[in-house]
Every structure is written in structure tokens, then in C-alpha cells.
Amino acid sequence: MNPTDRDAACFEAGIKFGALYHQFAGTPVSPESAASLETAIEESIENQPFCEDVRVEILTEKLDAEIDDASAGSYTELTGRFMEVEIAVEHEGVEVHTRMEMEDGYPLMKIESVEE
């Protein structure tokens, strides 16, 4: 059986999340640099084919708490627990809306909706 346009659109959304997470996890980030890093992530992922929209929110209050708990430094490494992400992909007339947020201590990436 050949993949449907719906299958391909969902696959493309997964590719975007894989690229986003593994490209930027570990990036040094502070509350002061969060906004510019959000923009860099969004613009980087939006360059990929079929990507319609990317929204990244780095949770600065969680960064503050992490940095306050650290023994040294004024930054921490970016991980899924410090981000909420939404990605929209359009492929062959199928639009997929996805989201990443923490669930049970894990940065879960999931499909919110598929519109044909």
C-alpha cells in the first residue's frame, strides 16, 4: 500500500520536530537570550519544505528556576522541559497541526489535528 497524502503530511511534521529537537537541544540559553533563540529556532525550521508555521515558547520562568538551583553560571542547556512548540505543515492539500509539551516528565510531540 502506498502512503496517502495524509500519511506524508504527518511524516513531514514528525521530521520537523526531530530536526528541531535534536538540532537545538543542548543549546546554552538564559532568560535574556530566550527570545532571540525562539526566533532562530522558528526561522530555521520554517525553512524546511512544507512547513507553514512554527511557534516556539521558551519558558523563561522555568529557566530562572533552573539557573537559581545551579551552583554556577547564568545559563542552562535547552531541553524539552523549557519549551512549548507548535508546528503546522501543509502537504498536498493536507494540513497537520502538531504540538510539543511536557507530559509525565517527557517532552511529548503529538498530532493535534489533520485537515484535508
Side-chain angles (χ1 to χ4, degrees):
M1 176 179 206
N2 291 328
T4 65
D5 290 337
R6 181 183 179 102
D7 296 335
C10 290
F11 176 79
E12 286 294 337
I15 293 295
K16 305 320 175 238
F17 262 119
L20 184 151
Y21 195 86
H22 293 291
Q23 180 177 352
F24 291 99
T27 300
V29 64
S30 68
E32 295 76 25
S33 67
S36 63
L37 184 55
E38 288 170 348
T39 300
I41 294 169
E42 291 169 353
E43 291 179 357
S44 173
I45 301 305
E46 285 175 347
N47 284 322
Q48 295 185 35
F50 313 113
C51 195
E52 293 294 312
D53 189 43
V54 179
R55 300 205 188 275
V56 176
E57 180 183 0
I58 296 177
L59 307 171
T60 55
E61 68 280 355
K62 290 188 177 187
L63 290 178
D64 278 330
E66 178 75 12
I67 292 166
D68 286 344
D69 289 344
S71 59
S74 58
Y75 73 95
T76 190
E77 293 181 358
L78 186 64
T79 67
R81 67 187 171 148
F82 300 122
M83 294 189 284
E84 291 182 357
V85 180
E86 296 177 6
I87 298 176
V89 168
E90 194 277 324
H91 183 268
E92 299 296 328
V94 179
E95 192 166 313
V96 178
H97 295 269
T98 59
R99 168 182 285 284
M100 181 186 80
E101 58 191 2
M102 292 300 289
E103 190 170 305
D104 297 326
Y106 184 79
L108 185 64
M109 301 162 197
K110 58 186 171 182
I111 296 171
E112 291 285 299
S113 67
V114 180
E115 301 165 12
E116 296 184 57

